[in-house]
Amino acid sequence: MSTADTPVQLQQLYQDIILDHYKHPRGSGLREPFDGESQQYNPACGDEIKLRVRLAGGKIADVSYEALGCSISQAAASVLHEQVIGAGVSDAMKMFDSFAELMASRGQLEPDEDALGDGIAFAGVSKYPARVKCALLGWAAFKAATVAALAADVKG
Amino acid sequence: MTSTGIGKTDQPQTPGSSMPLDTAAIRADFPILTRTVRDGKPLVYLDSGATSQRPHQVLDAERSFLEEHNAAVHRGAHQLAEEATDAYEAARERIASFVGVGADEVVFTKNATEAINLVAYSMSNATAVRDPAAAAFEVVPGDEIVITEAEHHANLVPWQELCARTGATLRWYGVTDDGRIDLDSLQLSPRTKLVAFTHQSNVTGAISPVNELVTRARQVGALVLLDACQSVPNAPVNFAELGVDFAVFSGHKMLGPSGIGVLYGRRELLEAMPPFLTGGSMIELVRMERTTYAPPPQRFEAGVPMTSQAVGLGAAVDYLCAVGMDRVAAHERTLTERTLAGLEAIAGVQIVGPTRMVNRGGTVAFTIDGVHPHDAGQVLDSLGIAVRVGHHCAWPLHRRLGIQASIRATFALYNTTAEVDQLLAGVRKAQRFFGVRGSAEVKQQVSTR
């Protein structure tokens, strides 16, 4: 979809992996049952995501979501879905930290594929401070929903 | 101290309104327009509705004030204090005259947002203090504040908050599908205390029916506040002729500095209105027990004010006057018509707001089917084109129009038709990049230079 006259910066930002997840989001749609839910907004552009987490035996059993937003935010939610399902809660939170660290790097950090999987495709986003929030929207919802799920687990 | 010319050309000070702008000469006055962005792309700045760029005449006026005359105004008896006060008050006079009102009716604020808050908090204060002289500003439970669904958050949230503090009810005119205020959607009542609305929408560009709204407000004895942020920079505006009670605008959207805005208030209203911020400068007599206030506008300018910014805004007004606001408006109209026609010709592009130049200013918001505004803005940015993307601080309006966000191009006197064409090519480029409809119709060579 990119052509010869496409600026190289644009190609670096919109990696094929990102565009593929954007056009074919994995695991989208809200599902039941779930243990925790979070809704997050990007006040700059009105983008929003509602995300649910289901836990089973200390692992992330499902992440379902409904996202309205740009390619970066939608693709990030899709990649997140692929990354965290099956992971233990603490490992998933480590992934969140790695991804957040990459996003804060202003393009100065070499992304770690072992830790981030397809998430490394978002390295270019970190050069655009205005878009970092887009990439983190789904992850913020994931963290909040997981915290809510753990809290419900303790209470229940 | 301030130059009133427009650069190196020998243009007459009051040129005929039919004479087209010499954009090359004007652009030479704006140093930032010569820079490149994103790896050498010439800057195409189409975001003046958010903040405009400043000509060297404005930058020079600020610098020369600070280098030669700087002092705290309205205090001190030394020569610099005198000169600084004269420069500050002379700027006020020129700015007041620019919008057709008296200098004593112009209050300097930080920006338009603060100016609206000033009125809202003064109304709160009138309500709390219950001074009979300020009864016109009291707001009690059951009273109504009326706005419109088209407002910028700056002309919405302060009124929500005023209602929350006073128990008044917030009501609003709805918006038609093409983004105009729907006059049939609301009837004012005898309890309506104030009607606040935008002069020109910062999203759709729609110009509001000010006369009709003022007439309706008068019929029920309500005050009128006009948000003129998007009109004053782009066309001749006369608040006295419009007959509004209050009006606000920001310096940074009209070639002036940030940190300076204006509240216009009709003289008799400002005289009766209690202060918002209190402290130095705004007093008449201070005793330990109580204080009386200075007359307006000083009553509303507590503390040492922003001085070089006021001087800079005065220089911006001089610059705009030297060009002629009629010519600015005509120039921006040409750019807007070209943009609207060009966008309409691209399949898959939807214009948000009126598509014809009837009661419409130079703000063009649009969406591209299948391309999120953020992504479109990123493609445009990669070509050096600066536009605004998002809801432009008008979230309820976007919700009403059934969109999450939009792409917005706004113009100033320094923009050119070539830049409009670059925008249109950039929109096609965004469609191509994201592989959506309309891409097959691209015939035009996309310039990435």
Side-chain angles (χ1 to χ4, degrees), chain B residues 73-298:
Chain B
V73 300
H74 288 300
R75 44 183 60 68
H78 53 75
Q79 183 176 343
L80 289 190
E82 246 175 58
E83 290 177 6
T85 304
D86 284 349
Y88 181 69
E89 291 303 330
R92 192 197 307 274
E93 280 174 25
R94 302 204 301 285
I95 293 160
S97 151
F98 184 65
V99 289
V101 302
D104 57 340
E105 299 176 304
V106 162
V107 176
F108 286 132
T109 61
K110 179 176 76 180
N111 50 30
T113 298
E114 187 183 86
I116 294 170
N117 275 276
L118 191 163
V119 175
Y121 275 96
S122 292
M123 293 176 83
S124 278
N125 291 343
T127 308
V129 173
R130 307 211 57 137
D131 175 357
F137 302 101
E138 284 181 31
V139 182
V140 297
D143 283 347
E144 295 166 355
I145 303 293
V146 170
I147 58 174
T148 86
E149 212 174 0
E151 298 312 307
H152 187 286
H153 298 164
N155 203 22
L156 192 173
V157 183
W159 304 119
Q160 283 178 342
E161 296 293 316
L162 174 64
C163 289
R165 289 194 300 274
T166 60
T169 305
L170 186 71
R171 301 177 68 205
W172 53 88
Y173 285 98
V175 164
T176 61
D177 289 341
D178 66 346
R180 292 191 188 277
I181 296 170
D182 182 355
L183 291 168
D184 296 330
S185 60
L186 182 77
Q187 296 293 318
L188 302 183
S189 88
R191 300 301 301 268
T192 308
K193 292 293 292 192
L194 176 131
V195 182
F197 59 94
T198 183
H199 194 183
Q200 178 185 315
S201 164
N202 74 312
V203 177
T204 67
I207 294 172
S208 302
V210 180
N211 291 344
E212 176 61 23
L213 287 163
V214 168
T215 301
R216 290 183 182 203
R218 291 284 171 262
Q219 282 166 354
V220 298
L223 297 166
V224 173
L225 182 142
L226 187 72
D227 172 359
C229 283
Q230 298 293 334
S231 56
V232 164
N234 303 307
V237 173
N238 185 310
F239 293 143
E241 282 175 11
L242 288 172
V244 295
D245 296 307
F246 297 103
V248 304
F249 57 95
S250 277
H252 70 96
K253 294 187 197 291
M254 50 189 289
L255 318 184
S258 56
I260 183 93
V262 166
L263 168 68
Y264 156 72
R266 265 198 307 123
R267 189 169 292 115
E268 52 271 39
L269 289 173
L270 290 185
E271 278 168 2
M273 196 162 79
F276 162 37
L277 299 174
T278 57
S281 286
M282 52 74 66
I283 56 98
E284 178 190 54
L285 184 68
V286 179
R287 298 184 191 283
M288 285 314 292
E289 296 76 20
R290 64 179 292 272
T291 293
T292 55
Y293 313 132
Q298 270 71 38

Side-chain angles (χ1 to χ4, degrees), chain A residues 103-119:
Chain A
M103 286 302 102
S105 72
R106 298 295 291 253
Q108 300 302 305
L109 201 67
E110 196 57 46
D112 178 357
E113 186 163 10
D114 291 340
L116 292 168
D118 279 358

Side-chain angles (χ1 to χ4, degrees), chain B residues 11-33:
Chain B
Q11 287 203 341
Q13 292 295 296
T14 52
S17 63
S18 59
M19 197 161 94
L21 292 190
D22 180 353
T23 42
I26 285 173
R27 289 178 71 82
D29 288 336
F30 290 80
I32 204 169
L33 298 180

Side-chain angles (χ1 to χ4, degrees), chain A residues 5 14 23 43 47 71 131, chain B residues 372 375 378 391 404 429 434:
Chain A
D5 63 350
Y14 292 108
K23 300 224 179 259
D47 285 1
S71 60
R131 304 304 299 277
Chain B
H372 188 280
D375 292 321
Q378 197 81 51
H391 49 58
Q404 201 183 3
K429 170 83 184 169
F434 285 97

